[in-house]
Amino acid sequence: MASLSSPSHCCSSSSSSAYSNSSSVRFHHHHYISNLEFYANSPKKLGSKKISLQSRGSPYSNTILMQDGVVATTAATVENEAPTKKLKDVLSSASPPEEHNVNNDKSTVSITVVGASGDLAKKKIFPALFALYYEDCLPEHFTIFGYARSKMTDAELRNMVSKTLTCRIDKRENCGEKMEQFLKRCFNHSGQYDSKENFVELDKKLKEHEAGRVSNRLFYLSIPPNIFIDAVRCASVSASSANGWTRVIVEKPFGRDSESSAALTRSLKQYLEEDQIFRIDHYLGKELVENLSVLRFSNLIFEPLWSRQYIKNVQFIFSEDFGTEGRGGYFDNYGIIRDIMQNHLLQILALFAMETPVSLDAEDIRNEKVKVLRSMRTLSIDDVVIGQYKSQTKGDITYPAYTDDKTVPKDSLTPTFAAAALFIDNARWDGVPFLMKAGKALHDRRAEIRVQFRHVPGNLYNRKFGTHLDRATNELVIRVQPDEAIYLKINNKVPGLGMRLDRSNLNLLYKARYSKEIPDAYERLLLDAIEGERRLFIRSDELNAAWALFTPLLKELEDKRLIPEYYPYGSRGPVGAHYLAARYNVKWGDHGVDE
Amino acid sequence: MAIQLSHFSSSSTTFSSFDHKISYFSKWVTDIHFRRQLRNNFELKSTNGYPLNAIPMQDEGSVAKTLGEEVPFPEFGEANSMLSITVVGASGDLAKKKIFPALFALYYEDWLPENFVVYGYARTKMTDEELRNMISKTLTCRIDRRENCQDKMEEFLKRCFYHSGQYNSEEHFLELNCKLKERESGKLSNRLFYLSIPPNIFVDVVRCASTKASSATGWTRVIVEKPFGRDSESSRELTKCLKQYLTEDQIFRIDHYLGKELVENLSVLRFSNLVFEPLWSRNYIRNVQFIFSEDFGTEGRGGYFDNYGIIRDIMQNHLLQILALFAMETPVSLDAEDIRNEKVKVLKSMKQLQLEDVVVGQYKGHSKGGKSYPGYIDDPTVPKDSVTPTFAAAALFINNARWDGVPFLMKAGKALHTKRAEIRVQFRHVPGNLYRRNFGTDVDKATNELVLRLQPDEAIYLKINNKVPGLGMRLDRSDLNLFYKTRYTREIPDAYERLLLDAIEGERRLFIRSDELDAAWALFTPLLKEIEENKIMPELYPYGSRGPVGAHYLAAKHNVRWGDLSVDGLFLPAFAAGKICLDGFLLLYSSSLSKKFKDQKRFWWSGFEVLLSVIQI
């Protein structure tokens, strides 16, 4: 009767609707999925903490375990409205031993944020951890350590962290209390990133908190790439867990090109196994990127269309409406191609274009993604347009050029905009252009995937469309941000006595359909890392293949010191992007008439 | 070659200045443009000499030039022609509620030619004034266009006249002819007769009208309403009689469902979107459902209905026509003959209906909350022992390459719990679905479905499986929506407006050809005979219910679930009400009975059944 408790609160959404055939547990192997739907609502308050997480012996067994014997207590609890704490006791006493049930009381997770005083840590990591805690997704026993060079007390760290914590809009109850409880579990340890002694001290502190339980340790490296290796070395040598797992989350950049990336991977592998390395690409944690596979593989109507036979082109569009704003130091060294295209957009492309994987297991999915990347043509410089924004005065406000940024060299040629046409030379996608576009300081902020379909062969309604057949084709748009949405543009008859066609959308606006706040990408990725779910992290061979595509191009751009096309701050980007698209008979969907 | 005059730019001629003409013309040109292209070439229409299938010309010279080239009979300009519409049976319900209002709407929106008259013809003695008075009560203006409505109404009424006479009297029609001629005053005359009369006098009227009141110079067309007979024989007989007096292209058999906006859009959706056509076959479509339900009974007017029954009244015509449109192969063009050829092919490929693939029902009295609803046989106009079906469900099959084995289910009923008409296309399950664990044991439950809701609240939506946002991996069904109300602000015209306009324009696409009608009857006649000869008892269902349970068994036999009674259709509204009971039930079960239900599935199903029973109450 594990069923009643199994939709662990953290993984299932609280707005679970009873009619949906949903399983709350992230698709791990578990046996009760089918029969749970109706219960999803009632036991929401129960036992969520207990069940949310169990440690796993093997990093590959990503089964979420179920608590047995919960049912017996369910009725009683609801009647008494017993507080969670009491319930917890009841639960643990009521739980009969089960074979692979590692008792929660004996395991703990310590999350060490290395580079705790940095921007990413403050803005994303700590808030994401708190959100996970708030939704009961963290195990019962956990501690969070901030590690940085700046001297700070625990209280100072807590003070710093507390400033950026927020509660979900739709779940405000007890938020203040929860926050305090969360902060109590946060500690600070100051130390050098390359000092083994300092990490040994950390290890001691962690051990104290673990108090003899099975210890699992997650290190989040939120530090510049030049000290990656040092930190990894020290952490793995001096602060690895003795009896549980140790995992390390690494942020981009993963090198600058094939060679440096390979060198980085080699160094990491000196100290870590492949399955300990979690290369994060936070775009893969976005709700609609996650949904891409669901859309494609769980709906009959899309898969038949998913090939060169029906798809004319695919576009991956990323734009920001601000520039480097005084923080171009890091960016200038990398440029938009490395910063957005080679990782975020290419990863989404691989997910989009991959063949159906054998299963949803991380290795199966990543195998398919690698296959796509390896089938791709190396980018040639003819298929790329680069740009850099220049200053513009609009009204009274003057927007600075990229090279006006104090942290950027005056003669910098680093692209802040790039558009590229890529091709996958396999049976499914031969000849279909995959266009990418990424830029800073453009007129709007968005990230989206656009699938443009071919025109209807022998269209009966041809005359309605004038001379340009391709103008009235179907288009599937997956808007990743802002305002998540999926819509399919169709040709429709305008109601009325005439026979006029127009384009209407079959819409799914997330805001209108789902009342729940969509979790931040970092929450999902942190939770996955804790659970050992590697699906959304980048494997070494994936990374290699990705660099192999872009490295020759990047080298050429830099060797030849190609001048980027200048575009005004806040504009739609360089005109070159349109010519590039036109060469492959493509129109950018985001500049279409209806947009 | 029949020359048929178009009415369209009546607007342009009503304006005195040429500037006006141009601007008005451009405003309409997009609408006009397409209608024109649909026409057969021989049905050349000129509107005051403007070549309508050309882009509007800005300078006079080129207009004149085109006119000379493309309009062979320029003397039949609009100013020289006159359209008379005679509504035979003008005092009837349909005329009052639908035909006159539709004519007014066409007039209001400038779709009628400049010169037109509307004649009411009926046995009742009435003056023109009385007719106008009667009509004016049912005229309304579009919600979104109210300006000048009153003026327009008065102008419209001024063009309405009345002639009283017997339906079988040639003299009376001769008198009508004289009056029409007076109005036409020498202009080219086009005459449209709308027969809004009982079927037993169809032929009489057609005889009188065609022999005595046909147009001498222009066209004469007759719009006929259902019923077109009761079976193959009577229908053929009727057609034969009609054809004694009329040629095939003068007969306009109206099926007002074909004039509904979303039925019109069905072909657009299918043939102008790449994403649908690849899916439109047995490879991807599991079944198709055509559902019609009314939430009221015969309400004291069962006399006509009892003689026909729901199968003849709804299925054999409306639903079958939509089915044919849905399932036809791509026509050569959008011309009426091409489309109707394809429809006939579908009908001819269909398997004759078998009695075992049909369920019939009849509603019985039902009391709900102090209010009691009458049974069908409580209707005083219905015989007490009537076994006429007021509900029917049927499974049809098309034995061609595209549709072999795909059940096409139809369901039509009166006195059900809702009022709706919709087409539901259920797709197959995803083969080797990666997410099958998220769907439980019934893979067919989570399939895609395309729904075209014809009424009320026109909408198109496509049900897809989607990830529920959040940290877990839960899937649910969401809709890709297109609600007409939110997308289009314009009021959707009534089906009769479209059909009347088409008849005036000679556009036959939405009217039923004789061979179509034949094929349709051939499918249903043996079944109807069998039902009547064997006096098959209909399954009784309570007024306001979801219809007989038999419909579910019929669907289940073909491995289909009715889309309108499915999880989202049924549970969602009922869920709020049933949830409390269900929760209580669950707790009860889980605490006291949990040991008995070792089998998860049985446990789940018992919950399901209780929920069902809660809803049924």
Side-chain angles (χ1 to χ4, degrees):
Chain A
M1 297 299 346
S3 57
L4 272 189
S5 67
S6 67
S8 60
H9 184 186
C10 104
C11 296
S12 75
S13 92
S14 62
S15 64
S16 60
S17 29
Y19 65 90
S20 70
N21 251 328
S22 53
S23 92
S24 50
V25 181
R26 343 186 75 207
F27 41 63
H28 302 95
H29 321 101
H30 93 66
H31 332 285
Y32 301 113
I33 285 174
S34 56
N35 303 322
L36 307 175
E37 302 79 4
F38 281 98
Y39 311 92
N41 272 341
S42 35
K44 216 190 309 186
K45 295 185 192 122
L46 310 176
S48 38
K49 256 200 170 151
K50 289 303 292 182
I51 332 154
S52 54
L53 261 189
Q54 271 83 23
S55 73
R56 321 229 167 87
S58 140
Y60 281 103
S61 84
N62 34 10
T63 319
I64 286 197
L65 303 174
M66 312 235 173
Q67 286 280 301
D68 226 354
V70 182
V71 168
T73 62
T74 311
T77 327
V78 169
E79 281 156 21
N80 306 342
E81 291 274 288
T84 332
K85 206 180 165 203
K86 188 184 166 194
L87 171 68
K88 239 186 282 170
D89 301 337
V90 178
L91 276 174
S92 34
S93 63
S95 313
E98 204 195 19
E99 348 153 49
H100 40 242
N101 186 359
V102 181
N103 196 327
N104 271 340
D105 291 345
K106 295 219 169 119
S107 82
T108 180
V109 171
S110 327
I111 300 157
T112 307
V113 181
V114 183
S117 51
D119 228 41
L120 181 74
K122 275 190 277 188
K123 280 199 195 147
K124 292 289 186 183
I125 305 173
F126 287 115
L129 285 169
F130 171 63
L132 290 176
Y133 172 73
Y134 186 96
E135 299 218 12
D136 285 327
C137 291
L138 292 183
E140 194 192 346
H141 298 286
F142 74 93
T143 40
I144 293 171
F145 262 88
Y147 189 105
R149 277 180 301 207
S150 31
K151 295 262 175 251
M152 255 198 287
T153 64
D154 291 347
E156 279 165 342
L157 176 90
R158 284 168 194 171
N159 190 32
M160 180 191 86
V161 170
S162 70
K163 281 176 197 150
T164 55
L165 298 190
T166 53
C167 291
R168 293 239 196 275
I169 297 163
D170 53 345
K171 301 202 184 170
R172 294 206 159 280
E173 359 152 0
N174 303 327
C175 187
E177 276 172 48
K178 284 269 193 180
M179 232 181 242
E180 271 168 41
Q181 282 173 342
F182 174 77
L183 288 172
K184 273 189 206 148
R185 309 231 196 160
C186 295
F187 304 91
N188 188 57
H189 182 75
S190 329
Q192 296 301 313
Y193 294 125
D194 55 356
S195 152
K196 281 196 194 172
E197 296 86 71
N198 293 154
F199 274 93
V200 171
E201 288 160 27
L202 174 72
D203 185 50
K204 267 189 207 137
K205 285 195 187 170
L206 290 176
K207 278 206 175 119
E208 257 169 52
H209 285 284
E210 285 156 9
R213 298 186 187 92
V214 173
S215 88
N216 296 315
R217 293 183 182 173
L218 179 66
F219 290 90
Y220 197 120
L221 302 197
S222 172
I223 46 175
N226 55 328
I227 47 177
F228 266 5
I229 304 293
D230 285 333
V232 167
R233 178 172 43 83
C234 298
S236 82
V237 175
S238 310
S240 272
S241 160
N243 48 9
W245 48 255
T246 304
R247 293 175 189 149
V248 179
I249 297 182
V250 194
E251 274 274 350
K252 73 174 180 186
F254 311 124
R256 299 192 79 248
D257 49 29
S258 287
E259 293 75 38
S260 55
S261 163
L264 179 67
T265 301
R266 227 174 15 249
S267 310
L268 287 175
K269 290 225 175 149
Q270 282 188 319
Y271 307 105
L272 299 170
E273 297 295 317
E274 174 75 33
D275 65 15
Q276 291 185 288
I277 308 171
F278 285 71
R279 286 187 197 83
I280 209 167
D281 182 328
H282 69 271
Y283 262 74
L284 293 184
K286 299 243 176 223
E287 185 61 38
L288 281 200
V289 176
E290 269 277 80
N291 198 27
L292 185 60
S293 299
V294 174
L295 209 61
R296 194 181 150 193
F297 295 123
S298 79
N299 291 294
L300 185 76
I301 52 172
F302 293 118
E303 186 56 25
L305 305 172
W306 222 257
S307 74
R308 63 195 297 272
Q309 200 173 350
Y310 295 106
I311 291 180
K312 188 156 53 102
N313 65 72
V314 187
Q315 305 175 9
F316 301 89
I317 296 168
F318 169 96
S319 70
E320 277 178 353
D321 53 1
F322 49 88
T324 49
E325 323 283 319
R327 316 181 46 160
Y330 158 80
F331 182 85
D332 193 66
N333 193 23
Y334 288 89
I336 197 89
I337 298 179
R338 289 189 181 87
D339 200 42
I340 304 291
M341 274 195 174
Q342 180 270 344
N343 39 39
H344 303 324
L345 298 189
L346 189 64
Q347 284 294 322
I348 298 175
L349 183 150
L351 260 183
F352 178 93
M354 70 180 179
E355 299 297 311
T356 313
V358 176
S359 79
L360 294 169
D361 286 351
E363 297 315 313
D364 291 329
I365 291 181
R366 296 196 288 185
N367 286 343
E368 293 304 330
K369 279 169 66 193
V370 172
K371 276 166 58 187
V372 171
L373 295 176
R374 291 185 48 209
S375 309
M376 287 177 75
R377 227 180 278 167
T378 307
L379 244 83
S380 96
I381 201 153
D382 305 333
D383 286 338
V384 176
V385 169
I386 55 172
Q388 192 185 80
Y389 63 92
K390 61 183 185 190
S391 82
Q392 189 186 12
T393 308
K394 221 188 228 169
D396 300 333
I397 308 169
T398 301
Y399 298 93
Y402 175 65
T403 48
D404 295 342
D405 190 318
K406 292 199 181 67
T407 56
V408 168
K410 284 280 159 259
D411 59 349
S412 171
L413 297 177
T414 304
T416 62
F417 175 98
L422 294 91
F423 292 88
I424 306 173
D425 291 329
N426 65 15
R428 189 188 282 263
W429 295 117
D430 188 11
V432 178
F434 286 78
L435 268 76
M436 284 182 181
K437 189 163 74 165
K440 284 177 178 292
L442 294 172
H443 71 298
D444 67 353
R445 175 178 165 264
R446 70 162 100 198
E448 61 189 18
I449 308 169
R450 287 178 171 265
V451 188
Q452 296 189 342
F453 292 92
R454 292 183 185 277
H455 67 261
V456 177
N459 194 338
L460 285 172
Y461 295 87
N462 262 351
R463 292 195 205 135
K464 289 314 296 165
F465 298 124
T467 49
H468 194 346
L469 283 180
D470 287 343
R471 204 179 284 156
T473 52
N474 294 126
E475 187 170 2
L476 176 69
V477 182
I478 299 170
R479 191 162 65 213
V480 178
Q481 69 185 26
D483 293 333
E484 291 84 350
I486 300 170
Y487 55 97
L488 178 63
K489 295 192 178 187
I490 57 166
N491 294 305
N492 205 56
K493 179 179 168 305
V494 178
L497 294 171
M499 174 59 84
R500 275 177 51 218
L501 305 195
D502 75 351
R503 300 184 83 183
S504 290
N505 294 342
L506 287 172
N507 279 322
L508 173 59
L509 299 175
Y510 271 53
K511 256 192 203 154
R513 170 70 177 84
Y514 301 106
S515 53
K516 234 193 122 195
E517 200 179 331
I518 296 172
D520 189 78
Y522 280 93
E523 292 174 37
R524 185 192 316 283
L525 292 167
L526 272 164
L527 181 62
D528 279 352
I530 294 169
E531 292 186 355
E533 167 59 73
R534 290 170 177 77
R535 194 165 37 97
L536 302 178
F537 295 92
I538 299 162
R539 213 163 59 184
S540 303
D541 54 346
E542 273 188 275
L543 185 63
N544 272 343
W547 275 122
L549 284 175
F550 278 87
T551 299
L553 168 80
L554 290 165
K555 285 245 162 72
E556 201 172 343
L557 285 179
E558 277 152 26
D559 290 347
K560 294 188 176 159
R561 289 191 62 77
L562 283 184
I563 311 278
E565 187 178 335
Y566 292 96
Y567 60 97
Y569 192 115
S571 71
R572 284 160 193 276
V575 183
H578 292 280
Y579 285 99
L580 174 69
R583 208 161 75 219
Y584 294 105
N585 200 13
V586 174
K587 260 182 218 288
W588 290 106
D590 58 335
H591 293 170
V593 184
D594 356 286
E595 292 305 312
Chain B
M1 187 199 273
I3 309 293
Q4 288 156 3
L5 286 222
S6 159
H7 60 288
F8 284 126
S9 27
S10 59
S11 53
S12 50
T13 47
T14 51
F15 288 97
S16 48
S17 91
F18 187 71
D19 284 345
H20 260 118
K21 273 189 211 172
I22 290 295
S23 65
Y24 221 80
F25 189 71
S26 330
K27 185 181 158 218
W28 283 106
V29 76
T30 34
D31 294 55
I32 293 162
H33 197 49
F34 197 65
R35 293 196 77 93
R36 304 239 86 231
Q37 289 160 352
L38 297 178
R39 288 185 201 121
N40 290 330
N41 287 333
F42 59 86
E43 291 171 356
L44 181 75
K45 287 163 213 179
S46 77
T47 88
N48 211 16
Y50 280 70
L52 282 174
N53 39 4
I55 302 299
M57 304 288 173
Q58 289 302 318
D59 67 306
E60 226 165 338
S62 58
V63 170
K65 193 174 154 222
T66 336
L67 177 140
E69 282 168 11
E70 296 194 2
V71 184
F73 301 100
E75 67 268 28
F76 294 139
E78 187 162 279
N80 293 325
S81 81
M82 171 71 136
L83 170 68
S84 352
I85 301 158
T86 309
V87 181
V88 184
S91 50
D93 228 43
L94 181 73
K96 275 190 278 190
K97 281 199 195 144
K98 292 290 186 181
I99 305 173
F100 290 116
L103 285 171
F104 171 63
L106 289 176
Y107 172 72
Y108 186 94
E109 300 215 11
D110 283 327
W111 289 100
L112 292 183
E114 192 194 348
N115 301 315
F116 75 96
V117 278
V118 176
Y119 258 89
Y121 188 104
R123 279 179 304 202
T124 344
K125 295 259 176 253
M126 253 197 288
T127 62
D128 291 348
E129 215 39 60
E130 279 165 338
L131 176 88
R132 287 171 192 168
N133 193 28
M134 180 190 87
I135 294 175
S136 68
K137 282 178 197 146
T138 54
L139 299 192
T140 52
C141 292
R142 295 238 196 275
I143 297 163
D144 53 345
R145 305 209 185 164
R146 297 206 155 281
E147 2 151 0
N148 303 327
C149 185
Q150 210 52 46
D151 294 345
K152 284 270 193 180
M153 226 180 248
E154 272 166 38
E155 278 173 49
F156 175 77
L157 288 173
K158 272 190 212 150
R159 310 232 197 161
C160 295
F161 305 91
Y162 185 73
H163 181 76
S164 91
Q166 295 299 313
Y167 294 124
N168 57 1
S169 153
E170 295 194 5
E171 294 89 80
H172 293 162
F173 275 91
L174 202 56
E175 287 162 28
L176 175 70
N177 189 38
C178 293
K179 285 195 185 172
L180 289 177
K181 273 208 177 125
E182 246 171 66
R183 305 270 164 221
E184 286 157 9
S185 58
K187 294 190 185 84
L188 172 77
S189 90
N190 294 315
R191 294 183 183 173
L192 179 66
F193 291 89
Y194 196 120
L195 305 198
S196 172
I197 46 173
N200 54 328
I201 47 175
F202 266 6
V203 180
D204 284 334
V205 172
V206 168
R207 177 174 44 84
C208 301
S210 81
T211 50
K212 301 297 170 199
S214 273
S215 160
T217 47
W219 50 255
T220 305
R221 293 176 189 150
V222 179
I223 298 182
V224 194
E225 272 275 349
K226 72 175 179 184
F228 312 123
R230 299 192 77 247
D231 49 29
S232 288
E233 292 76 39
S234 54
S235 160
R236 215 167 291 145
E237 185 61 31
L238 180 66
T239 302
K240 214 168 69 198
C241 296
L242 289 176
K243 290 228 175 145
Q244 282 188 319
Y245 308 105
L246 301 170
T247 57
E248 175 76 34
D249 64 9
Q250 292 185 288
I251 308 171
F252 284 71
R253 286 188 197 82
I254 209 167
D255 183 327
H256 69 271
Y257 262 73
L258 294 184
K260 296 226 177 249
E261 185 61 37
L262 279 197
V263 177
E264 270 278 79
N265 199 26
L266 182 59
S267 300
V268 174
L269 209 61
R270 194 182 151 191
F271 296 123
S272 79
N273 290 293
L274 186 77
V275 293
F276 293 118
E277 185 56 26
L279 305 171
W280 222 257
S281 78
R282 63 197 297 275
N283 289 335
Y284 295 105
I285 291 180
R286 192 155 47 103
N287 67 70
V288 187
Q289 305 175 9
F290 302 89
I291 296 167
F292 169 94
S293 72
E294 277 178 353
D295 54 1
F296 49 87
T298 50
E299 324 281 321
R301 318 181 45 160
Y304 157 80
F305 182 85
D306 193 65
N307 193 23
Y308 288 90
I310 196 89
I311 298 180
R312 289 188 181 88
D313 199 42
I314 304 290
M315 272 193 175
Q316 181 269 343
N317 39 39
H318 303 324
L319 297 189
L320 189 64
Q321 284 295 322
I322 299 174
L323 182 150
L325 261 182
F326 178 94
M328 70 181 179
E329 298 297 310
T330 313
V332 176
S333 79
L334 295 170
D335 285 352
E337 296 315 313
D338 289 330
I339 290 180
R340 296 196 290 186
N341 286 344
E342 293 304 331
K343 278 168 68 193
V344 172
K345 276 165 59 186
V346 171
L347 295 175
K348 285 188 171 164
S349 316
M350 286 179 75
K351 208 171 91 183
Q352 232 172 46
L353 241 84
Q354 303 298 310
L355 190 59
E356 72 247 28
D357 281 338
V358 176
V359 169
V360 290
Q362 190 185 79
Y363 64 92
K364 60 182 184 192
H366 181 55
S367 295
K368 214 191 233 167
K371 223 181 152 189
S372 88
Y373 299 89
Y376 175 65
I377 49 170
D378 297 339
D379 190 318
T381 57
V382 168
K384 284 284 159 258
D385 58 349
S386 171
V387 289
T388 303
T390 62
F391 174 99
L396 295 92
F397 292 88
I398 305 173
N399 291 330
N400 64 15
R402 190 188 281 263
W403 296 116
D404 189 12
V406 178
F408 285 78
L409 269 76
M410 284 182 181
K411 189 163 72 167
K414 284 177 175 294
L416 295 172
H417 70 300
T418 61
K419 172 173 178 287
R420 70 161 104 195
E422 59 188 18
I423 307 170
R424 288 178 170 264
V425 187
Q426 295 190 341
F427 292 92
R428 293 185 183 278
H429 67 261
V430 178
N433 194 337
L434 285 172
Y435 292 87
R436 78 183 81 82
R437 292 208 190 93
N438 299 56
F439 294 122
T441 48
D442 189 350
V443 287
D444 286 341
K445 212 184 273 166
T447 52
N448 296 124
E449 189 171 0
L450 175 69
V451 182
L452 305 184
R453 192 163 63 210
L454 313 183
Q455 67 184 33
D457 294 332
E458 290 84 351
I460 301 171
Y461 54 97
L462 181 60
K463 295 193 177 193
I464 57 165
N465 293 304
N466 205 56
K467 179 178 168 304
V468 178
L471 294 170
M473 176 55 81
R474 279 180 52 226
L475 305 193
D476 74 352
R477 299 185 81 184
S478 289
D479 297 338
L480 289 174
N481 281 323
L482 172 59
F483 292 122
Y484 273 53
K485 258 193 200 151
T486 46
R487 170 69 177 83
Y488 301 106
T489 49
R490 267 188 82 192
E491 202 176 329
I492 296 172
D494 189 78
Y496 280 94
E497 293 174 36
R498 185 191 316 285
L499 293 168
L500 272 165
L501 181 59
D502 280 350
I504 293 168
E505 293 187 353
E507 166 58 74
R508 293 169 175 78
R509 194 165 38 101
L510 301 179
F511 296 91
I512 300 163
R513 213 165 56 183
S514 302
D515 55 344
E516 273 188 276
L517 184 63
D518 249 12
W521 275 120
L523 282 174
F524 278 88
T525 300
L527 169 83
L528 289 164
K529 288 242 163 75
E530 201 172 342
I531 291 179
E532 275 150 27
E533 277 162 16
N534 299 338
K535 281 205 155 296
I536 304 264
M537 279 303 293
E539 190 178 332
L540 299 180
Y541 61 95
Y543 193 115
S545 70
R546 286 159 196 277
V549 182
H552 292 277
Y553 286 97
L554 174 67
K557 199 169 90 190
H558 297 290
N559 199 16
V560 175
R561 246 175 252 261
W562 290 107
D564 60 331
L565 303 179
S566 75
V567 183
D568 351 302
L570 171 69
F571 289 152
L572 263 188
F575 187 72
K579 186 180 173 303
I580 302 162
C581 313
L582 178 72
D583 281 358
F585 153 80
L586 285 177
L587 286 173
L588 208 74
Y589 256 55
S590 54
S591 55
S592 63
L593 298 175
S594 55
K595 277 175 195 132
K596 286 187 191 170
F597 285 90
K598 282 280 185 317
D599 180 357
Q600 293 275 332
K601 206 162 182 174
R602 260 176 71 206
F603 182 49
W604 189 85
W605 271 105
S606 54
F608 180 76
E609 276 158 23
V610 165
L611 180 60
L612 267 179
S613 60
V614 165
I615 290 156
Q616 295 289 337
I617 300 160

